[in-house]
Amino acid sequence: MKNTEKEKYERPVIKKVEAGMPNKFGLRTEYQPMTHIDGVSVHELAERFGSPLFVISEKTIRDTYAHAKRAFTLRYPKVQFAWSYKTNYLNAVCHVFHQEGSWAEVVSGFEYDKAIANGVNGKKIIFNGPDKSDADIEKAIKNDSLLHIDHLDEMYMVIDIAEKLKKKPRVAIRVNMDTGIYPMWDRFGFNYETGQAWDALNKIMFSGKLELTGLHCHIGTFMLAPYAYATAAYKLADLAIALEKKFNHSIKYIDLGGGFPSKNTLKGSFLPGKDANPGIDEFAEAISTALINSFSNPDKLPLLILETGRALVDDAGYLISSVIANKRLSSGKRATIIDAGVNIMFTSFWYDHKITPAQPFTHYTEDTVVYGPLCMNIDVIRENVSLPLLNKGDKIVIHQVGAYNMTQWMQFITLRPRIVIIDLDRTPHLIRESETNNTLTDLELVPEHLKKFEL
Ligand SMILES: *Cc1c(COP(=O)(O)O)cnc(C)c1O
């Protein structure tokens, strides 16, 4: 008998290479020097502004932002980004994001004041974090900012201050939840699975003192799993729908926080991040689908807020550094010492940062350990990287340093260097001066009895 049944259709899938899974090719050695950043000579930048030098590409920030915005607005009708200040709160960088239309997302009174000083309308500041003082809360309420409540003690503080000011502040709660990613981030906000979050929402609604405007979560950072965001979106949507049912109250927005990965390469990952990490479109797809599938009325979807930090700025930051010396370790391994250490390259602890020489080189390469200048054993920028021979005075470019380094950097042993931004017309602008001895000693006092000594 002839088989007339049609062959079963199987949907084609594109399968991503898994981070950490080796393939037969191994890691590529950089074989092209990076002589220019956005058309500006690396050597000239170092000569003019000094070394080490952080360089930010305004073009890369704007392009990355435009891509992210497009990824979400193609799939969901109402999207708003809020720039995560702690990721990089250099005023010039914040201004680029605000020019692009980003609100501000802050996690301390210091960051809040910085956003206000940058000219951000108080209504467009999202105030997160577990440590808001009475004065911070009072200021935020007066400016009609969005207060994201982290714990019950804060909720009662906000209620007290609101009563005193005779205002009804706009608030959201931060929710933590199981998204299938472990360890789970459950130290911030109210837990979903145990009912804490629903309890907090009930307390807010019954108090009558607060305007419940949104629901917030921030499930982790450098998350490699888009489905975790779908889970988060479903759970927040579930709370929003429960509020509609019980209180006939519609929230205005769902804020899914930050945490998308940049193209950096996590330590221990075999393949470079640019090949292994999911792109923003995959996150946009997971989140938009979950939200659209959750709400019954497509005309009344809540605003989707994203507090994306590192994915928007990491790739835009470079660090130019100079070779101080080469040496052979006792094992025979080549070591190259550069003038930038882990005190200004905090993310060396997490990433295998790509390093490219800034001048032409020969084909000979060797596995090299790259040390910073500190008198500290932990001062390692790359434990092992295949590099061509570099001579004293040569320049290198360290890639993808735009997120967290310029906020988490430490003044330790050396002073912190200058930062420039290259504009769209290829002109570099100084946006932060290097520190001097006075930057530090101006804050210090030597008591009278300690002033004199003889040696
Ligand atoms: C740090 C932080 C962000 C930004 O996180 P990224 O991983 O840089 O995207 C967003 N929201 C909150 C509440 C944060 O604490």
Side-chain angles (χ1 to χ4, degrees):
M1 207 173 81
K2 217 170 115 193
N3 186 359
T4 51
E5 227 176 80
K6 255 171 97 180
E7 278 211 45
K8 280 226 179 86
Y9 171 75
E10 247 184 85
R11 193 165 69 94
V13 287
I14 297 174
K15 231 181 146 189
K16 227 180 189 11
V17 269
E18 294 286 337
M21 292 297 285
N23 72 10
K24 64 181 176 182
F25 301 112
L27 273 185
R28 189 170 65 106
T29 307
E30 289 319 308
Y31 44 79
Q32 289 282 351
M34 184 169 191
T35 56
H36 291 72
I37 299 173
D38 282 7
V40 185
S41 151
V42 169
H43 277 260
E44 274 171 43
L45 282 167
E47 219 158 88
R48 179 167 162 205
F49 296 102
S51 171
L53 176 72
F54 279 103
V55 179
I56 291 165
S57 161
E58 183 181 333
K59 182 175 188 310
T60 305
I61 297 182
R62 291 192 192 271
D63 289 351
T64 312
Y65 184 85
H67 178 179
K69 192 173 162 193
R70 195 169 55 243
F72 278 94
T73 51
L74 273 175
R75 296 170 167 100
Y76 193 81
K78 286 185 281 179
V79 182
Q80 177 63 53
F81 282 88
W83 176 238
S84 156
Y85 263 48
K86 76 170 188 293
T87 308
N88 188 322
Y89 45 57
L90 284 164
N91 289 339
V93 170
C94 295
H95 277 246
V96 176
F97 282 105
H98 298 322
Q99 282 186 350
E100 290 288 340
S102 258
W103 295 358
E105 184 273 326
V106 302
V107 291
S108 69
F110 157 70
E111 289 187 1
Y112 185 89
D113 291 344
K114 217 166 192 292
I116 291 284
N118 275 335
V120 181
N121 183 334
K123 289 185 175 151
K124 299 187 171 174
I125 302 179
I126 294 169
F127 200 163
N128 282 315
D131 175 25
K132 305 180 190 79
S133 68
D134 282 349
D136 293 337
I137 290 172
E138 190 168 328
K139 209 177 331 183
I141 294 176
K142 284 182 176 160
N143 290 331
D144 198 18
S145 300
L146 298 160
L147 273 166
H148 285 189
I149 297 171
D150 186 76
H151 43 73
L152 283 179
D153 286 314
E154 182 181 338
M155 183 189 297
Y156 298 132
M157 268 168 92
V158 175
I159 290 175
D160 280 351
I161 297 168
E163 275 184 328
K164 199 182 79 187
L165 297 176
K166 298 193 170 43
K167 289 206 163 191
K168 202 169 181 188
R170 294 188 301 157
V171 302
I173 61 162
R174 177 159 175 177
V175 180
N176 69 64
M177 60 191 66
D178 186 346
T179 58
I181 301 290
Y182 310 100
M184 193 174 124
W185 277 26
D186 65 356
R187 61 173 280 185
F188 300 108
F190 303 89
N191 183 253
Y192 173 84
E193 286 79 16
T194 58
Q196 273 182 0
W198 181 237
D199 178 53
L201 293 171
N202 275 271
K203 285 188 164 66
I204 289 174
M205 293 309 296
F206 286 129
S207 82
K209 308 279 185 201
L210 310 174
E211 183 60 41
L212 180 64
T213 321
L215 293 166
H216 172 234
C217 69
H218 171 63
I219 59 176
T221 194
F222 215 95
M223 306 286 287
L224 294 170
Y227 75 83
Y229 284 87
T231 306
Y234 279 121
K235 288 184 175 177
L236 290 191
D238 181 53
L239 292 173
I241 292 161
L243 283 165
E244 273 174 20
K245 262 204 201 129
K246 180 167 177 184
F247 297 99
N248 193 26
H249 177 79
S250 301
I251 51 131
K252 301 274 190 304
Y253 65 84
I254 282 186
D255 177 347
L256 285 175
F260 306 146
S262 66
K263 293 293 170 203
N264 242 312
T265 305
L266 279 179
K267 277 193 185 214
S269 165
F270 193 78
L271 291 166
K274 71 176 175 19
D275 300 332
N277 304 347
I280 202 125
D281 290 82
E282 292 175 59
F283 291 95
E285 182 67 26
I287 291 168
S288 308
T289 305
L291 290 180
I292 289 168
N293 290 353
S294 294
F295 291 98
S296 50
N297 187 347
D299 298 325
K300 276 181 65 186
L301 289 169
L303 173 71
L304 167 61
I305 296 181
L306 297 154
E307 304 168 345
T308 311
R310 74 173 78 234
L312 293 180
V313 81
D314 215 13
D315 298 354
Y318 300 90
L319 179 61
I320 299 176
S321 178
S322 306
V323 174
I324 295 170
N326 287 295
K327 68 203 288 187
R328 287 271 159 214
L329 302 179
S330 61
S331 62
K333 188 173 177 115
R334 182 166 79 192
T336 295
I337 306 167
I338 61 170
D339 65 358
V342 290
N343 55 327
I344 59 167
M345 273 289 297
F346 199 82
T347 55
S348 314
F349 295 123
W350 317 112
Y351 300 136
D352 281 340
H353 281 286
K354 177 172 153 181
I355 296 180
T356 320
Q359 51 285 309
F361 46 80
T362 64
H363 285 298
Y364 176 75
T365 60
E366 193 178 336
D367 282 352
T368 308
V369 50
V370 180
Y371 290 131
L374 307 179
C375 250
M376 291 280 292
N377 210 36
I378 58 161
D379 190 20
V380 183
I381 299 294
R382 282 295 301 268
E383 271 131 32
N384 195 32
V385 55
S386 174
L387 281 177
L389 181 66
L390 292 160
N391 293 310
K392 178 176 158 61
D394 279 354
K395 303 286 178 264
I396 58 165
V397 177
I398 306 175
H399 297 247
Q400 291 155 318
V401 303
Y404 295 102
N405 284 305
M406 286 159 255
T407 47
Q408 284 188 294
W409 56 355
M410 282 188 279
Q411 189 281 312
F412 178 61
I413 300 186
T414 60
L415 296 166
R416 285 174 285 199
R418 281 175 161 168
I419 304 175
V420 299
I421 194 165
I422 300 176
D423 71 17
L424 304 182
D425 298 320
R426 305 176 164 196
T427 306
H429 303 264
L430 184 65
I431 58 168
R432 194 180 193 271
E433 253 307 350
S434 52
E435 291 174 339
T436 65
N437 272 27
N438 285 345
T439 316
L440 297 158
T441 49
D442 281 355
L443 301 172
E444 291 190 43
L445 301 161
V446 179
E448 209 45 52
H449 71 284
L450 298 178
K451 280 193 173 147
K452 267 214 234 132
F453 56 78
E454 277 169 44
L455 289 174

